[in-house]
Amino acid sequence: MIRFQELLLAAALGLGALGAQAQTPSSAAAAAEYRLGAGDVVRVIVYQNPDLTLETRVSETGVISFPLLGSVRIGGLAVSAAEKLIADGLRNGNFVKAPQVTVVLLQVKGNQASVLGQVNRPGRYPIETTDMRLTDLLANAGGVATTGGDLLVLSGTRDGKPYRLEVDLPSVFGPNTDAGRASDVIIQNGDVLWVERAPIVYIYGEVQRPGPMRLERGMTVMQALASGGGLNQRGTERGIRVHRKGADGKVQVVQPGMDDSLKDGDVVYVKESLF
């Protein structure tokens, strides 16, 4: 059985390419331009004016102190807009006749999102473009770990209000492209992506390889037993029992059919044959 997580990075790249085809080059470039934020480190260069070169950090209020101009608010501006703002200030103040300003982003600190839970590289990651999507952020974190499940939870704020979205990861790459694109939302500053643990079932008794195993979607009793190497010589299908915790927290014992589906946390016990 091919594991979904092993295809994540390639699929994320494929989905990104699909989105790029849906935009014109000009609109895609405009949407992808990074907006400066508090904590970002920038270098400002004015052509043929080396004395105006400045390397600085954007303050918490989005301001930098630039020679001749004093405080300049560049927080929230795209890099090109920040370049134009500084150039206009130099021109309008008669400091430089025809200024050519370049703003180079050295460190991204102002716009970040976190990835936690069952991923290969949990941590905080910079949002370097305004069209960075959930799959891009997940790919930066190395994709879902082998212990991770299909359920993702994205939390943050939108329009000043708490935001929470549950995403079924396989549906993002499913045959319904529109639905998948809608689930692959754009990441914003301060977002936290949580990857749930994969559901697990436990098998013990007269099987070849007892122990915990990942519960694949729709896995039946027969498939679980096969993943455990099957019954050993003493095992019998008539002796299979499933211990399942109910909604009230109490454990129930059921005698399932081989084609019945298992649930997260189920404990499958295979009895010894009497004959």
Coordinates of all heavy atoms in Angstrom, one line a residue, residues 15 25 32 49 60 67 78 104 116 123 128-129 131 146 149-150 166 182 190 194 220 232 252 262-263 266:
L15 N 0.4 20.7 -7.5 CA -0.8 21.6 -7.2 C -0.4 23.0 -7.4 O -1.1 23.8 -7.9 CB -1.3 21.3 -5.8 CG -2.6 22.0 -5.5 CD1 -3.7 21.5 -6.5 CD2 -3.0 21.8 -4.1
P25 N 0.9 35.9 -16.0 CA 2.1 36.2 -15.4 C 2.1 37.5 -14.5 O 2.7 37.5 -13.5 CB 3.1 36.3 -16.6 CG 2.4 35.4 -17.6 CD 1.0 35.6 -17.4
A32 N 2.3 37.5 -5.6 CA 3.3 36.8 -4.9 C 4.3 37.8 -4.2 O 5.2 37.3 -3.5 CB 4.1 35.9 -5.9
N49 N 24.9 56.6 -4.8 CA 24.9 57.3 -3.5 C 25.2 56.3 -2.4 O 24.3 56.0 -1.6 CB 23.5 58.0 -3.2 CG 23.2 59.2 -4.2 OD1 23.6 60.3 -3.9 ND2 22.6 58.9 -5.3
E60 N 8.9 47.4 15.4 CA 7.6 46.8 15.7 C 6.4 47.6 15.2 O 5.4 47.1 15.0 CB 7.4 46.6 17.3 CG 8.4 45.6 17.9 CD 8.1 44.2 17.3 OE1 7.0 43.8 17.1 OE2 9.1 43.5 17.0
P67 N 18.5 57.8 6.4 CA 19.2 59.1 6.3 C 18.5 60.1 5.4 O 17.9 59.8 4.4 CB 20.6 58.7 5.6 CG 20.7 57.2 5.9 CD 19.4 56.7 6.0
A78 N 4.7 46.2 0.0 CA 5.4 45.4 -0.9 C 6.8 46.0 -1.1 O 7.0 47.2 -0.9 CB 4.7 45.2 -2.2
V104 N 16.6 45.3 -0.5 CA 16.9 43.9 -0.5 C 16.5 43.3 0.8 O 16.9 43.8 1.9 CB 18.4 43.7 -0.7 CG1 18.7 42.2 -0.7 CG2 18.9 44.3 -2.0
L116 N 3.1 22.4 13.7 CA 3.3 21.5 14.8 C 2.7 20.2 14.6 O 1.9 20.0 13.7 CB 2.7 22.2 16.1 CG 3.2 23.6 16.4 CD1 2.3 24.2 17.5 CD2 4.6 23.6 16.8
G123 N 8.3 23.6 13.4 CA 8.9 24.8 13.7 C 8.2 26.0 13.1 O 7.1 25.9 12.6
E128 N 7.2 34.0 2.7 CA 8.0 34.8 1.8 C 7.2 35.4 0.6 O 7.7 36.3 -0.1 CB 9.3 34.1 1.3 CG 10.2 33.7 2.5 CD 11.4 32.9 2.0 OE1 11.4 32.4 0.8 OE2 12.4 32.8 2.7
T129 N 6.1 34.8 0.4 CA 5.2 35.4 -0.7 C 3.8 35.4 -0.1 O 3.4 34.7 0.8 CB 5.2 34.5 -1.9 OG1 4.7 33.2 -1.6 CG2 6.6 34.3 -2.5
D131 N 1.1 34.6 -1.6 CA 0.2 33.5 -2.0 C 0.7 32.2 -1.6 O 0.4 31.1 -2.1 CB 0.1 33.5 -3.6 CG 1.4 33.2 -4.3 OD1 2.5 33.3 -3.6 OD2 1.4 33.0 -5.5
T146 N 5.7 9.8 9.3 CA 5.1 8.4 9.2 C 4.0 8.2 10.3 O 3.1 7.4 10.1 CB 6.1 7.3 9.2 OG1 6.9 7.5 10.4 CG2 7.0 7.4 8.0
G149 N -1.4 11.7 10.5 CA -2.6 11.3 9.9 C -3.0 12.2 8.8 O -2.2 13.0 8.3
D150 N -4.2 12.0 8.3 CA -4.7 12.8 7.2 C -5.4 14.1 7.6 O -5.6 15.0 6.7 CB -5.7 12.0 6.3 CG -5.1 10.8 5.7 OD1 -3.9 10.8 5.5 OD2 -5.8 9.8 5.5
E166 N -10.5 22.8 9.5 CA -10.0 21.4 9.4 C -9.9 20.9 7.9 O -10.9 21.2 7.2 CB -11.0 20.5 10.2 CG -11.0 20.7 11.7 CD -11.8 19.7 12.4 OE1 -12.4 18.7 11.8 OE2 -11.9 19.7 13.7
A182 N -9.8 24.9 -2.9 CA -10.5 25.7 -1.9 C -10.0 25.3 -0.5 O -9.9 26.1 0.4 CB -12.0 25.4 -1.9
G190 N 1.2 34.5 11.5 CA 0.7 34.0 12.8 C -0.1 32.7 12.8 O -0.5 32.2 13.8
W194 N -1.5 22.4 12.6 CA -1.4 21.2 13.4 C -1.7 20.0 12.6 O -2.7 19.9 12.0 CB -2.3 21.3 14.6 CG -2.4 20.1 15.5 CD1 -3.4 19.1 15.4 CD2 -1.5 19.6 16.5 NE1 -3.1 18.1 16.3 CE2 -1.9 18.4 17.0 CE3 -0.3 20.2 17.0 CZ2 -1.3 17.7 18.0 CZ3 0.4 19.5 18.0 CH2 -0.1 18.3 18.5
T220 N -10.3 -2.9 7.1 CA -11.1 -3.9 7.7 C -10.3 -4.8 8.6 O -9.1 -4.7 8.7 CB -11.7 -4.8 6.6 OG1 -10.7 -5.5 5.9 CG2 -12.5 -3.9 5.6
N232 N -1.2 -17.0 13.3 CA -0.2 -18.0 13.4 C -0.9 -19.4 13.5 O -2.1 -19.5 13.3 CB 0.7 -17.8 14.7 CG -0.1 -17.9 16.0 OD1 -1.1 -18.5 16.1 ND2 0.5 -17.2 17.0
Q252 N -16.3 -1.9 25.1 CA -17.2 -2.9 24.7 C -16.5 -4.0 23.9 O -15.5 -3.7 23.2 CB -18.3 -2.3 23.8 CG -19.1 -1.2 24.4 CD -20.1 -0.5 23.5 OE1 -20.0 -0.7 22.3 NE2 -21.1 0.2 24.0
L262 N -12.5 -1.1 11.1 CA -12.0 -0.9 12.4 C -12.0 0.6 12.7 O -12.1 1.5 11.8 CB -10.6 -1.4 12.6 CG -10.5 -2.9 12.5 CD1 -9.0 -3.3 12.5 CD2 -11.2 -3.6 13.7
K263 N -11.9 1.0 14.0 CA -11.9 2.4 14.4 C -10.7 2.7 15.2 O -10.0 1.8 15.7 CB -13.2 2.7 15.2 CG -14.5 2.6 14.5 CD -15.6 3.0 15.4 CE -17.0 2.9 14.6 NZ -18.1 3.2 15.5
D266 N -9.1 0.8 18.4 CA -9.6 -0.6 18.6 C -8.4 -1.5 18.9 O -7.3 -1.4 18.5 CB -10.2 -1.1 17.3 CG -11.6 -0.6 17.1 OD1 -12.2 0.0 18.0 OD2 -12.2 -0.9 16.0

